[in-house]
């Protein structure tokens, strides 16, 4: 990969039974491509802002963490490589998005990625991310006999093109109960029910994307859950780059409790 910029992803390997995937927190775009876009990805992006920071306590618990550095506008790691729709019949975003969440065309003048460009992006970012994620899952399962994968996300709380109204703070996705054991799903739900600081739903609008659906095989000892957070639950959405420990503190405390359950 001869492009400028950071590696496609960073990995921290731990010895625990929890693997965490953070596929959308990066906002890097190669300069030549960024110049083609209607917006500057380094300033405005549909990234899952600060999700890596929100969960930075995990490394000390022994979890392995893989975090993408490149923008989902380059390639979306949580979509299948053949770009089949995750939510047929609903508005969704694709493998190499052509629009922002708000519906703005990313490639003015129709200069959209060619099939060759899409396959280059798969080879540069998508395939290496998934190869490494797969290796982390295998390694943890070999060591512990089982593994839990958390696919960690966040999104703006109001996005009319993608969902109605204001998103609940915490959106647990288990592909309708198929991506993890019933017991694990229930333990998380019991924890969420026991608090009243944050609103939450399970397997509602966000049921889990490609990563949740592809890797979740509870019958083979691989439990996967997706947590999609509304960004207003931990940051000022009007100022995407502004992180505040104070704003995030309550949510981080709850996520710590979730991670204890996930770590088994
Ligand atoms: Zn995301």
């Amino acid at each position: 990969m001869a492009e400028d910029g950071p590696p496609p992803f960073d990995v921290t390997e731990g010895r625990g039974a929890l693997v965490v995937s953070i596929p959308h927190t990066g906002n890097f775009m190669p300069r030549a491509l960024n110049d083609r876009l209607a917006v500057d990805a380094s300033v405005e992006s549909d990234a899952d802002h600060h999700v890596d920071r929100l969960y930075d306590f995990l490394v000390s618990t022994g979890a392995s963490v893989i975090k993408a550095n490149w923008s989902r506008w380059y390639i979306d790691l949580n979509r299948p490589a053949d770009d089949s729709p995750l939510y047929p019949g609903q508005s969704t975003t694709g493998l190499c998005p052509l629009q922002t969440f708000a519906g703005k065309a990313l490639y003015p003048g129709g200069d959209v990625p060619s099939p060759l460009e899409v396959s280059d992006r798969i080879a540069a970012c998508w395939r290496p991310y998934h190869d490494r994620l797969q290796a982390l899952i295998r390694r943890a399962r070999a060591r512990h006999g089982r593994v839990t994968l958390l696919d960690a996300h966040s999104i703006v709380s109001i996005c009319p093109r993608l969902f109605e109204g204001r998103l609940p703070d915490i959106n647990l996705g288990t592909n309708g109960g198929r991506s993890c054991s019933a017991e694990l799903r229930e333990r998380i739900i019991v924890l969420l029910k026991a608090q009243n600081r944050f609103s939450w739903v399970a397997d509602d609008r966000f049921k889990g994307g490609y990563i949740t659906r592809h890797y979740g095989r509870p019958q083979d000892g691989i439990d996967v859950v997706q947590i999609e957070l509304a960004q207003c639950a931990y940051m000022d959405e009007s100022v995407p780059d502004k992180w505040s420990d104070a704003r995030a503190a309550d949510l981080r405390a709850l996520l710590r409790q979730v991670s204890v359950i996930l770590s088994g």
Side-chain angles (χ1 to χ4, degrees), residues 142-190:
R143 180 172 278 153
H144 298 277
R146 48 163 294 280
V147 57
T148 302
L149 169 64
L150 166 63
D151 199 39
H153 295 262
S154 75
I155 191 166
V156 284
S157 59
I158 295 176
C159 185
R161 191 167 82 83
L162 297 181
F163 50 82
E164 275 179 32
R166 193 273 208 196
L167 196 68
D169 295 320
I170 299 168
N171 299 263
L172 177 67
T174 68
N175 195 20
R178 289 186 286 279
S179 68
C180 70
S181 71
E183 188 205 349
L184 178 64
R185 186 176 186 275
E186 185 57 26
R187 288 182 69 200
I188 299 168
I189 287 174
V190 166

Side-chain angles (χ1 to χ4, degrees), residues 23-25 46-48 72 76 78 101 152-155 228:
H24 292 155
T25 202
D46 291 329
D48 296 2
R72 69 183 298 155
D76 190 332
N78 199 26
F101 286 165
H153 295 262
S154 75
I155 191 166
E228 181 80 71

